[in-house]
Amino acid sequence: LWAAHANGLLAAAPASSFMCVGLGHQASHLLPVHEGRVLWPHVRRLPLGGWHASDLLLRGLQLRQPALAQQL
């Protein structure tokens, strides 16, 4: 939300709507913005983050290359 404000999205188009997505290490956040205001009842936190994506990629690589598990 800070990035949207810093880049002028809130001031440039106050009558517009957009979804602000925050991606973190352990969780992701979805903030709907309508006419420059956050719709707090509709904010969602998803328990999926960058760590989960990295772990999924590593497990997929380990299935194809079993020797990779010993190197990491």
Side-chain angles (χ1 to χ4, degrees):
L1 193 55
W2 179 84
H5 177 72
N7 289 317
L9 289 176
L10 299 178
S16 67
S17 299
F18 60 92
M19 180 73 69
C20 187
V21 179
L23 302 173
H25 182 69
Q26 295 258 342
S28 301
H29 296 86
L30 303 172
L31 291 94
V33 179
H34 180 67
E35 295 182 357
R37 295 184 183 265
V38 178
L39 301 175
W40 291 109
H42 303 289
V43 171
R44 296 290 180 254
R45 178 185 182 273
L46 302 175
L48 299 171
W51 180 84
H52 297 94
S54 297
D55 188 52
L56 182 65
L57 179 62
L58 177 63
R59 288 175 191 246
L61 289 173
Q62 287 174 344
L63 287 174
R64 295 184 61 93
Q65 299 291 330
L68 184 64
Q70 297 170 355
Q71 294 176 357
L72 299 175

